[in-house]
Amino acid sequence: MGFFLLIKATTFMISTLMFTFVPFTRSVPFVVFHGISDKCSNKGVKQFTERLTKWSGIQGHCIEIGDGAWDSWTMPLLDQTEIACEKVKSMSELSDGYNLIGLSQGSLIARGVIEFCDGGPPVKNLITLAGIHAGIASIPFCGSTIICLLLDDLIKSEIYSTYVQEHLAPSGYIKIPTDIPAYLKGCSFLPKVNNEIKNTRNSTYKERFASLENLVLIMVS
Ligand SMILES: *[C@@H]1O[C@H](CO)[C@@H](O)[C@H](O)[C@H]1NC(C)=O
C-alpha cells in the first residue's frame, strides 16, 4: 500500500500548488479521473474535487468507471477509457468543452479519452498528477491481502499475455525496458496511447492531443 499512500499524499500536497498556479478558464467545467485502488466516493478524491470546485467556482465531476477500486485494478484500460468516453459524451454540461484532471492511473484514462473518444466533447486543458505516461517497469507492491496475492500470481505468469492484459489494468502500462519488442507486441494500452507502434501510428490521436490549450504534467519522485 505504501506506493499508493505515497501517491495520494503527494497529490494532496500538490493540489495546494495547483490552486495557486493553474489558471482555469472561467465557466469551463472539469472532470477528475482517480487513480488505482481509489474511487470517487473516497474522502481524498472527494475533497480534491470539492476543493477544486470551491476554488474555481466551477462545477467539477469525478467520473467513476465501473465500481471504482476493484475495476480500477481489473478492467483493461481500453475498456475503462471507453466507459469514460461514453460518460463524458452523456454529460450535456461538458458539451462546450471541459478540463481534465488525471490522478496517477487516471492520467492515462484522461489521455485515452482525449485521443480515442470519437465524438466526445472537446478537452481544453489537461493536468495530470503522478501520471504514468511513460509506463512503469514493474508492478507496484500491492500488499499481502488475498487479492494482492492473486494479482502477484497473475503477474508472474506473463505480463504481456492476453490473459493478464485482459484482467489486470496496470499490465496495460508496464513497459519492461529490457523487453521492448514484447511490450510493443503485447501491451494493450500504452503503445497505442503513445503512438509507439511504427506501422499503426494514428495521426488523429496526435492531432487531438496537440489540440489541448495547456498541458500540465506534475511529476512525483
Ligand atoms: C485513427 O483513429 C481515428 C479515431 O479513432 C479513427 O477514426 C481512424 O480510423 C484511425 N485511423 C487508422 C489509420 O487506424
Side-chain angles (χ1 to χ4, degrees), residues 77-97:
L77 282 180
L78 275 176
D79 296 350
Q80 294 199 38
T81 301
E82 225 173 282
I83 290 173
C85 170
E86 289 313 313
K87 287 204 173 177
V88 294
K89 280 203 264 190
S90 72
M91 293 167 70
S92 56
E93 61 268 49
L94 305 182
S95 59
D96 291 334

Side-chain angles (χ1 to χ4, degrees), residues 115-118 192 199-205 208:
E115 293 179 30
F116 309 149
C117 187
D118 293 327
K192 183 177 161 84
N199 299 322
T200 63
R201 285 193 180 125
N202 188 318
S203 56
T204 306
Y205 302 164
R208 287 175 178 168

